[in-house]
Amino acid sequence: MNALLAAMILAPAAFQTQESHFTEVPIASEDKITVQALVRTYEFNPDEQTAVQVLVGAMRDGSSDYSRPTMRRNSAPGYEPQFVLMPDHIRVSVTVDKGELSTGLGMIVSLLRDPLLNQEAIDAAVAEASKPADTAFQLALRPDIHDFRKLKRDQLVDLHRYLFQPANTYVVVMGAFDPGKAEQEWNERTKDWKDRRVAKRNYYGKPPTMRTTSTEQVTTAELFGPNIKPSDADFPTKLLALYALGVGKGSSLHRVVRDREALSYRQEAILWPSPNGFRARFLLAAIPSDQDAALPEKMRNLLAEDIRNWTKTDLDRALGMATASLIEGIGPNPLYWGDGGPLGKDLPDRAFLMAYWQMKAGKIWDPLVLVDDLRKVGLDDLKNGGESLILTAMPRVISGKK
Amino acid sequence: MIATLCAMTALIQTGQEFNWERANLDNGSAVIVQSLPNAKQISVQLFAAARGVQETPETHGMRHLLEHLLAKGVNKDLDRRIEAKGLFMTADTYRDAMQFEVRALPHQLRDAVDVLGEFLKEPKVTQEEIDKEAKILAQEFALQSSSTLLSSSAWTMGYGPAGLDPMGTLETLSKATPASIAQLYKKHYNPANLVISIAGPITAKEGIDLGQKLLAPLTGTPAIDWVRRPAGRSARGDAEMAKGSACGAFVSGYSEGETAWTIAAAFGVVTEFEDSFFLYTPSLQNGLVVVGSAKARDYISKIDSLSDAESMGLFRQGKINARAWLRNRLNTPSGAAYWRGYLGCQALGARPEYLLDNLDRLTPDQFRAGFENLKSGKAVEVVGGRL
């Protein structure tokens, strides 16, 4: 009860039960209902990474109760069911029209507990996962090359059983329904869903390798930054430094790498999940050339030089951008947390963020508190934070086709 | 103040379902404001119609280069200054107009409109700046998505030089000089081509007053006529650098019934086939509705293979989705300001409600006719050259 009261004080419209990581957020003015289910994962062994990718892909074919076409038909127009694997979680997202709460919850519960995972679904997932990403930028975000040949269906079924347990699962239902209804139905549908001991297999397939070339007409270069945790005392400093370095057109990346040096058209700093925190990633996309291998170091040197010349203008700009994007949804969002792209302000992403921050940091997502912490960062700390992000970052290049 | 009062014209257009107003100024420019009381942000947009400066093989991409140069601001530090206040500016060049958008909070309306003032001053650029920006544009060419490349190819295959995209080529951009950029700016930013379009939780008076203050002092020449794009011809071909395939259905102006029918049919198709894209830019001119997929090389075959019963089975969802697509846009600050400004700079009476009305009244027979426009023999078919 105390936990429930605490949750109500922090987020008056949300009702949370402690046992099942379930939160409902009724919003009368919405015309849709979204159900976001996150399954927390862990730092997979290299050979497990391949298996979990196929598992998530295969879930797209639905469950014993809901086939893929049925799920599409049941979904609100423009809101296809999503199944996304990120380094720290699996996201299952379903959005339905107002009045279809039961359908939305039914689909999610069925997918969490009883995905089809037949051979046809697995083969389709392997075929899809074997294709390179649509764009060079997407390739850069997920540069692993997997070998799926040794995967067996029973391994995926076991992995599903191991991962998809109530204690690992965070669910938020947000949108147009009466208070209490979502929780009531969730409890009814999951009353027999209990955590259980499942042995984890040790071998799932070959470890992935890192891509270094592609057939795209674009080269990507990256500085893959150190791991940072939301519980770190200097997390706000590093987040603000990320904004100063690469978020917005007044950032170091845009001013220096693009405008001054004409090295790229697209360049960004993003915060990418890791199994136990986040990585600051600084990426640029450029026309392939003989100088590709040197791009990350060139980027590092240019950014380091710019950091040394930062003034209060850069601090103010970073804070302005962070405030606008975190609180108001104005400007680019570097938080690539939910589906491999920037978090949006639509209903599914709002619900996702609520579930995600509970899972990641054990608390309610409150951008006002976060921005207050960002306001306390001074210029010297900002510079130190920026240097800590880029000076030890690992260089990566995926060379495109010249 | 006196200049503003002299330039003030009685409000001549207002909205019914959507609460909007338009004020036309003596110099040919206009301000359009749509009130969205429940919105949390404002979108403030400047449109410069391409009347008099439409793309030709000789000028291909020059407008795009101008956009890049203007976006830096008068002192080349615009983004750094406005981002410190939490404003964010983007720019785009389309076939019919150039657009600048500033997104901000409602209390920042004055600041946001002031940003547009940067683009109403002739840019002072050096050859070095032009050459550097051309290098950046070359990078941008390489990053175009498959859907953009497929669409561009469909346009030039279907309309020839009259369908040129605004991106440009390195060859034409290498010919740009400070003098040619200045000349282009004068024509493009003739007041008769300019519309400021604002949407958000503000009153029409607030937005119109601020917009008029900015536009009223400008002087120029009367508006000239658009060069009409002739009717297109169906064709088949490749887009060498793209993946996937697409088809472009010919449509006339945005307010014509058949345009709405084709849009609804296109939405039916993208609902049916996974991983589809839909592209349409509202225009008074002949244009294309493009649908396709970066993951399928047989998109038009898939459309052709639908039986009449199957395609008519898409009528309900296609109509619902098309109406939702436009209505949702008109209910967001960015979408509303874009649609009203983009159409409003092309012609005095142009407004998105015409398209919405046609979508609302769509009948099954009309949907069927729209569907036919997507099929081979009538549409432009493009297949990507990359696997």
Side-chain angles (χ1 to χ4, degrees):
Chain A
M1 180 55 85
N2 283 340
L4 182 58
L5 278 173
M8 286 172 69
I9 289 163
L10 286 167
F15 299 89
Q16 185 172 21
T17 61
Q18 214 172 4
E19 297 85 358
S20 59
H21 303 293
F22 178 87
T23 307
E24 64 159 50
V25 186
I27 305 176
S29 57
E30 285 288 345
D31 62 355
K32 283 183 258 304
I33 304 166
T34 194
V35 187
Q36 301 293 311
L38 275 60
V39 175
R40 182 175 44 199
T41 58
Y42 51 90
E43 185 145 16
F44 291 117
N45 297 331
D47 53 1
E48 291 171 328
Q49 292 174 25
T50 300
V52 72
Q53 187 175 5
V54 175
L55 169 64
V56 175
M59 290 181 70
R60 288 190 183 95
D61 268 43
S63 65
S64 48
D65 295 324
Y66 297 93
S67 68
R68 188 168 183 166
T70 301
M71 287 196 300
R72 285 190 79 216
R73 274 195 300 274
N74 286 346
S75 299
Y79 290 88
E80 293 203 12
Q82 278 187 295
F83 303 85
V84 182
L85 172 65
M86 296 297 285
D88 57 352
H89 70 277
I90 295 165
R91 177 183 182 183
V92 182
S93 167
V94 152
T95 302
V96 295
D97 284 324
K98 180 177 177 174
E100 300 295 336
L101 174 67
S102 196
T103 303
L105 278 170
M107 286 200 281
I108 282 287
V109 171
S110 186
L111 287 164
L112 290 175
R113 300 186 63 178
D114 194 19
L116 212 49
L117 293 183
N118 57 19
Q119 195 59 49
E120 196 182 324
I122 292 167
D123 292 343
V126 168
E128 186 64 29
S130 302
K131 292 183 203 165
D134 288 341
T135 68
F137 221 79
Q138 285 168 345
L139 265 182
L141 288 177
R142 298 176 191 272
D144 294 337
I145 304 174
H146 296 271
D147 184 336
F148 302 104
R149 281 172 296 174
K150 293 213 192 287
L151 280 174
K152 302 270 186 293
R153 180 184 179 270
D154 57 349
Q155 293 173 325
L156 298 184
V157 171
D158 280 356
L159 185 58
H160 174 266
R161 275 198 209 119
Y162 185 80
L163 284 173
F164 285 68
Q165 308 235 32
N168 280 348
T169 306
Y170 294 75
V171 176
V172 171
V173 184
M174 185 184 279
F177 54 89
D178 293 331
K181 287 288 187 212
E183 185 189 346
Q184 182 187 359
E185 183 153 351
W186 171 261
N187 289 340
E188 184 57 37
R189 286 182 180 274
T190 59
K191 61 187 176 201
D192 61 342
W193 191 33
K194 306 284 182 213
D195 289 337
R196 58 185 185 276
R197 285 190 178 283
V198 176
K200 188 157 81 77
R201 289 192 186 226
N202 287 323
Y203 175 72
Y204 290 92
K206 289 185 74 174
T209 54
M210 185 73 74
R211 184 183 300 279
T212 57
T213 62
S214 82
T215 57
E216 297 291 326
Q217 313 287 317
V218 171
T219 284
T220 54
E222 178 177 359
L223 291 172
F224 187 75
N227 201 53
I228 57 178
K229 294 183 186 172
S231 55
D232 290 346
D234 62 354
F235 178 78
T237 304
K238 286 179 176 162
L239 179 60
L240 195 63
L242 186 93
Y243 274 89
L245 280 165
V247 184
K249 294 189 267 108
S251 67
S252 300
L253 268 179
H254 201 279
R255 278 186 296 101
V256 178
V257 172
R258 171 177 153 156
D259 283 353
R260 199 181 81 198
E261 303 292 325
L263 283 178
S264 68
Y265 171 73
R266 182 177 177 184
Q267 53 294 308
E268 288 174 43
I270 67 169
L271 200 63
W272 184 258
S274 70
N276 52 9
F278 299 102
R279 298 279 196 163
R281 301 179 69 173
F282 304 91
L283 297 111
L284 66 82
I287 296 174
S289 78
D290 295 333
Q291 313 300 318
D292 284 354
L295 277 173
E297 288 312 313
K298 194 156 189 176
M299 190 177 10
R300 195 197 312 269
N301 292 337
L302 288 169
L303 291 177
E305 181 197 347
D306 201 58
I307 289 171
R308 287 192 286 276
N309 292 325
W310 278 352
T311 64
K312 190 165 180 307
T313 301
D314 299 285
L315 175 66
D316 290 343
R317 190 210 68 87
L319 189 56
M321 282 299 308
T323 306
S325 96
L326 290 171
I327 296 177
E328 308 297 345
I330 292 174
N333 189 340
L335 309 180
Y336 276 45
W337 293 350
D339 63 359
L343 277 179
K345 280 286 187 188
D346 60 5
L347 189 69
D349 273 358
R350 279 158 38 213
F352 163 79
L353 189 50
M354 185 175 272
Y356 183 71
W357 207 242
Q358 285 174 12
M359 182 200 82
K360 196 78 171 173
K363 48 189 176 183
I364 303 272
W365 170 257
D366 191 337
L368 294 173
V369 169
L370 181 56
V371 166
D372 268 347
D373 289 340
L374 297 180
R375 287 201 178 102
K376 296 169 189 160
V377 177
L379 181 58
D380 286 341
D381 284 338
L382 187 75
K383 289 181 175 184
N384 291 335
E387 282 176 350
S388 75
L389 290 179
I390 62 154
L391 291 183
T392 58
M394 286 191 306
R396 287 181 177 174
V397 174
I398 301 177
S399 286
K401 204 170 145 186
K402 287 201 267 284
Chain B
M1 178 64 122
I2 293 171
T4 304
L5 286 171
C6 287
M8 175 76 174
T9 303
L11 299 174
I12 64 165
Q13 289 173 302
T14 60
Q16 302 286 333
E17 179 184 347
F18 301 97
N19 185 7
W20 63 274
E21 294 182 27
R22 173 174 175 140
N24 301 307
L25 281 65
D26 285 348
N27 59 10
S29 64
V31 184
I32 306 173
V33 178
Q34 179 171 327
S35 292
L36 291 165
N38 296 329
K40 302 278 188 291
Q41 301 173 11
I42 55 171
S43 172
V44 175
Q45 301 186 24
L46 173 69
F47 288 89
R51 224 186 258 105
V53 291
Q54 289 159 263
E55 302 291 325
T56 67
E58 294 73 34
T59 64
H60 190 200
M62 292 294 190
R63 294 170 52 236
H64 187 198
L65 176 61
L66 174 63
E67 173 226 304
H68 273 237
L69 294 167
L70 273 176
K72 297 184 186 304
V74 171
N75 296 322
K76 325 288 181 190
D77 65 346
L78 180 62
D79 290 304
R80 213 170 175 182
R81 279 189 286 114
I82 67 175
E83 286 173 6
K85 299 180 190 176
L87 278 67
F88 193 70
M89 187 273 293
T90 54
D92 258 305
T93 303
Y94 302 91
R95 288 182 177 80
D96 301 303
M98 191 183 298
Q99 173 214 31
F100 291 93
E101 178 181 16
V102 180
R103 291 181 60 199
L105 295 176
H107 71 269
Q108 297 173 310
L109 175 63
R110 187 178 295 272
D111 283 339
V113 174
D114 283 347
V115 173
L116 301 186
E118 298 259 342
F119 314 125
L120 298 177
K121 301 182 173 84
E122 183 181 311
K124 306 283 183 236
V125 295
T126 63
Q127 190 63 52
E128 191 189 344
E129 286 167 336
I130 289 172
D131 294 342
K132 183 176 290 180
E133 208 58 37
K135 278 173 76 175
I136 294 171
L137 281 165
Q139 301 274 2
E140 185 178 351
F141 297 158
L143 268 157
Q144 291 182 90
S145 65
S146 284
S147 57
T148 300
L149 291 168
L150 289 166
S151 175
S152 289
S153 291
W155 273 84
T156 45
M157 281 160 50
Y159 285 108
L164 279 173
D165 64 46
M167 285 296 284
T169 64
L170 283 178
E171 195 189 334
T172 47
L173 293 178
S174 67
K175 296 175 186 155
T177 63
S180 67
I181 290 292
Q183 193 180 29
L184 172 63
Y185 176 83
K186 277 195 180 67
K187 282 189 191 172
H188 207 334
Y189 278 71
N190 184 26
N193 278 346
L194 300 178
V195 165
I196 288 177
S197 181
I198 305 173
I202 59 166
T203 64
K205 183 175 180 346
E206 287 176 279
I208 287 172
D209 282 352
L210 286 170
Q212 283 188 321
K213 274 201 186 87
L214 206 56
L215 292 175
L218 303 175
T219 57
T221 55
I224 65 171
D225 289 335
W226 288 94
V227 173
R228 305 305 301 176
R229 185 175 293 123
R233 294 194 317 175
S234 71
R236 302 181 75 181
D238 297 335
E240 191 190 336
M241 310 299 275
K243 293 186 221 178
S245 59
C247 72
F250 292 103
V251 292
S252 40
Y254 81 101
S255 61
E256 298 296 324
E258 196 164 1
T259 302
W261 312 344
T262 309
I263 288 173
F267 269 97
V269 163
V270 303
T271 308
E272 177 69 2
F273 301 130
E274 280 188 42
D275 299 317
S276 293
F277 65 80
F278 162 88
L279 293 172
Y280 173 69
T281 305
S283 177
L284 272 63
Q285 299 252 31
N286 292 330
L288 284 182
V289 172
V290 180
V291 289
S293 171
K295 295 192 175 185
R297 293 173 61 78
D298 59 347
Y299 203 82
I300 205 165
S301 305
K302 285 157 68 141
I303 296 174
D304 285 346
S305 68
L306 291 173
S307 66
D308 184 65
E310 285 168 332
S311 58
M312 290 313 295
L314 303 173
F315 164 67
R316 184 177 170 273
Q317 208 57 55
K319 179 174 177 176
I320 287 173
N321 289 358
R323 291 161 76 201
W325 161 75
L326 183 50
R327 267 210 171 76
N328 288 345
R329 270 148 186 77
L330 293 175
N331 278 308
T332 65
S334 198
Y338 165 78
W339 272 82
R340 297 210 180 277
Y342 194 83
L343 287 172
C345 76
Q346 294 180 58
L348 181 61
R351 67 188 89 157
E353 279 82 352
Y354 294 139
L355 176 55
L356 201 54
D357 288 344
N358 286 332
L359 288 171
D360 284 344
R361 290 196 296 258
L362 184 75
T363 66
D365 282 343
Q366 291 168 341
F367 183 83
R368 182 180 277 114
F371 211 92
E372 287 301 310
N373 290 339
L374 293 167
K375 293 189 173 178
S376 56
K378 285 195 87 174
V380 182
E381 304 170 54
V382 189
V383 179
R386 295 177 54 212
L387 295 171

